[in-house]
Amino acid sequence: MYQDPNMLASIRKVEAAREENIKLDPRRMTADEKDALLRKFHPDYRTEQFTELRFGPNKGQKVPLELADLLEGESRVLHEQFDLTKPDYETDVLIIGGGGAGCSAAIEADKAGAKVMVVTKLRMGDANTMMAEGGIQAADKPNDSPAQHFLDAYGGGHFAAQKDLLYKLVMDAPEAIQWLSGLGVEFDKAPDGTMITTHGGGTSRKRMHAAKDYSGAEIMRTLRDEVLNRGIPVVDFTSAIELIKDENGHCAGAILLNMETKELLVAKAKTVILATGGTPMFLPIPGLDNREFVKTAIEVLRGRTLYGKRVVVAGGGMTGAETAVFLAVQGCDVTMIEMAPDIITDAVAQPRACLLEHIRKYNVKVHTHTKLTKVGEGTVYAEEYGEPITFKHIDMLVNAMGVRSYNPLQEQLEGLDCKVVVVGDASSTKNGYKNIREGFNA
């Protein structure tokens, strides 16, 4: 699969040392040793590896040098020459992103008779949809209704929801469940085939549909299989780095980069759907941009960072709880802070009960009604029930306060009359159902 000589040489070194490495039983490093090692070698901990952004909506934030070069630099294809009359790919609908929203859009576009192609920087299904363990709410039982669902959701959101969007959510939810079930999603069912529903956060009726505690993985498996069974072309390990406009300023495709061979390719399309997902959200809290001290839940769960002994996890949803338990199992002293009255309200009963049990078992300290206000060096400041509270001698703060849309390609199209549809977390962050529904509607 790999063609890069350096990668092949590295693989041979790993293979040669494998037997000796298997026998190795390394001593567990102390927190101080980990910190010293990180500050010496890890780019996220070396201050000289960061700079402040000079332009754009994130001006003034500290980011890695490589990201600053990417955001502030010239286009990577500025000096390249392309023959746009001879594209490498030509399709009716080009979908950038292979998660739940992208796959749903591909299925429905193909069903409508369009020629479709999906481009994804990893593999199809390597997306946040896979990590969703909670269920999907839909008012499809005799004792429930979309109107009751609307009232529960509107009140549960402290009356801050956009009513027209919430209306569409509750009205379309039953049809979306049936669509997924029809594709083959194995939702929990009773022996007679009736879907089992449970209570979720803020529900007055049992309307949460789930597939055990791996709902996202089950949905993604089904969508991925449907895309492949339909023969929809999927170009994986390929990133869209620029959008192409025609002489009228309309979007006409994208420049693609094969992330293994570095080959640049031209994809021509009548319509482009951006389903590029979300990225961790950093709220405007003083000190939260200190990337030496603050890590994201994704970085922790995917093993992208080391961690010290004392950790604070900001965010009490399912992701925050999973991160807290993961760290506690590793021997960390973990504290969770959540501004809401309770934690893990975004999960269905079974996984929520399991996480709560592990939180108790591994002595994770939980502070609800607690709002993060400031981040210092080794210190986390918050307000609990409106009163100041300080967590001192902290080795790492984990940001598990949600995600925001990640859609850099759309910025190229502002002010232009381009046929581009943005779906899923790329348009606005939401749950798996909403992402899939948005892709379906596209």
Side-chain angles (χ1 to χ4, degrees):
M1 182 173 68
Y2 295 106
Q3 301 181 26
D4 183 86
N6 294 328
M7 180 63 74
L8 294 173
S10 178
I11 291 173
R12 286 192 290 270
K13 288 180 181 179
V14 171
E15 291 173 342
R18 181 168 290 137
E19 292 300 323
E20 289 300 317
N21 289 338
I22 291 174
K23 301 174 186 176
L24 184 64
D25 185 16
R27 175 181 62 82
R28 190 178 183 88
M29 298 174 66
T30 66
D32 290 340
E33 288 174 330
K34 291 178 182 179
D35 189 62
L37 189 66
L38 285 168
R39 292 189 180 279
K40 184 176 181 180
F41 294 107
H42 200 296
D44 286 354
Y45 284 76
R46 296 169 59 184
T47 55
E48 70 273 15
Q49 294 295 317
F50 286 79
T51 187
E52 286 191 1
L53 286 176
R54 298 173 294 168
F55 313 105
N58 298 100
K59 180 180 178 181
Q61 289 188 6
K62 288 186 177 180
V63 297
L65 297 175
E66 295 86 349
L67 180 58
D69 289 342
L70 179 64
L71 295 176
E72 297 179 350
E74 295 178 337
S75 167
R76 282 181 281 180
V77 298
L78 182 63
H79 303 295
E80 300 287 342
Q81 297 294 322
F82 298 96
D83 186 354
L84 299 181
T85 64
K86 298 178 180 178
D88 300 280
Y89 303 102
E90 189 165 358
T91 186
D92 294 331
V93 180
L94 173 65
I95 299 173
I96 302 173
C103 288
S104 298
I107 293 166
E108 286 304 301
D110 181 77
K111 192 182 296 185
K115 183 180 178 182
V116 186
M117 186 176 83
V118 177
V119 174
T120 176
K121 65 177 181 295
L122 296 175
R123 299 167 300 179
M124 181 172 56
D126 285 343
N128 288 336
T129 306
M130 283 290 294
M131 300 177 68
E133 294 184 5
I136 299 174
Q137 292 191 31
D140 58 358
K141 291 296 179 70
N143 69 332
D144 202 359
S145 69
Q148 188 62 48
H149 189 182
F150 183 97
L151 292 174
D152 289 348
Y154 194 55
H158 297 274
F159 311 102
Q162 191 171 328
K163 292 182 181 179
D164 57 337
L165 295 181
L166 182 56
Y167 175 85
K168 186 167 182 58
L169 164 67
V170 301
M171 294 300 293
D172 290 351
E175 182 187 354
I177 292 292
Q178 289 301 316
W179 183 74
L180 288 170
S181 182
L183 288 178
V185 174
E186 294 289 346
F187 288 112
D188 297 339
K189 296 178 181 177
D192 64 356
T194 305
M195 287 197 186
I196 296 173
T197 52
T198 60
H199 277 299
T203 57
S204 62
R205 304 286 190 276
K206 292 182 179 181
R207 68 171 69 97
M208 186 78 81
H209 300 69
K212 299 296 186 290
D213 62 347
Y214 46 81
S215 303
E218 171 62 15
I219 290 170
M220 196 65 250
R221 174 196 68 80
T222 306
L223 294 175
R224 181 179 59 222
D225 287 352
E226 183 68 13
V227 169
L228 295 176
N229 289 339
R230 285 180 169 274
I232 297 172
V234 178
V235 183
D236 54 13
F237 294 104
T238 299
S239 179
I241 60 174
E242 294 284 351
L243 294 176
I244 299 172
K245 294 173 285 187
D246 62 18
E247 62 275 8
N248 298 316
H250 299 167
C251 187
I255 300 295
L256 310 178
L257 171 67
N258 185 304
M259 299 181 71
E260 293 182 309
T261 66
K262 306 305 178 185
E263 182 183 8
L264 293 172
L265 305 163
V266 176
K268 182 180 179 181
K270 298 175 182 176
T271 298
V272 177
I273 295 179
L274 302 181
T276 45
T279 190
M281 178 170 57
F282 281 81
L283 298 173
I285 296 172
L288 195 62
D289 60 349
N290 180 1
R291 299 295 280 121
E292 293 184 34
F293 179 60
V294 182
K295 301 300 174 183
T296 67
I298 293 175
E299 289 172 329
V300 174
L301 294 174
R302 292 183 176 175
R304 294 178 181 174
T305 184
L306 297 177
Y307 28 83
K309 181 67 176 175
R310 290 171 54 82
V311 180
V312 171
V313 176
M318 177 172 280
T319 300
E322 289 177 333
T323 306
V325 170
F326 172 81
L327 291 168
V329 170
Q330 313 304 315
C332 296
D333 179 2
V334 183
T335 299
M336 283 180 64
I337 60 175
E338 165 59 42
M339 65 186 300
D342 204 354
I343 61 171
I344 329 176
T345 58
D346 55 338
V348 293
Q350 184 178 354
R352 183 174 190 266
C354 180
L355 281 171
L356 288 172
E357 179 183 347
H358 280 75
I359 284 172
R360 288 190 291 267
K361 178 180 178 180
Y362 292 101
N363 299 313
V364 175
K365 294 178 284 294
V366 178
H367 292 257
T368 56
H369 298 92
T370 303
K371 177 183 178 182
L372 179 66
T373 58
K374 182 181 177 182
V375 179
E377 192 63 43
T379 306
V380 176
Y381 302 90
E383 290 181 358
E384 187 173 28
Y385 290 94
E387 297 295 327
I389 182 173
T390 303
F391 303 92
K392 298 180 178 180
H393 309 297
I394 304 300
D395 298 309
M396 180 175 70
L397 172 65
V398 180
N399 178 7
M401 296 183 287
V403 298
R404 61 176 175 82
S405 60
Y406 176 71
N407 188 15
L409 291 174
Q410 190 183 18
E411 295 177 2
Q412 302 177 27
L413 305 174
E414 291 183 357
L416 297 173
D417 180 19
C418 302
K419 181 61 175 178
V420 177
V421 182
V422 185
V423 298
D425 279 345
S427 64
S428 63
T429 54
K430 54 189 81 69
N431 63 29
Y433 152 66
K434 297 180 187 176
N435 287 336
I436 291 164
R437 183 69 192 181
E438 203 165 60
F440 172 89
N441 288 334

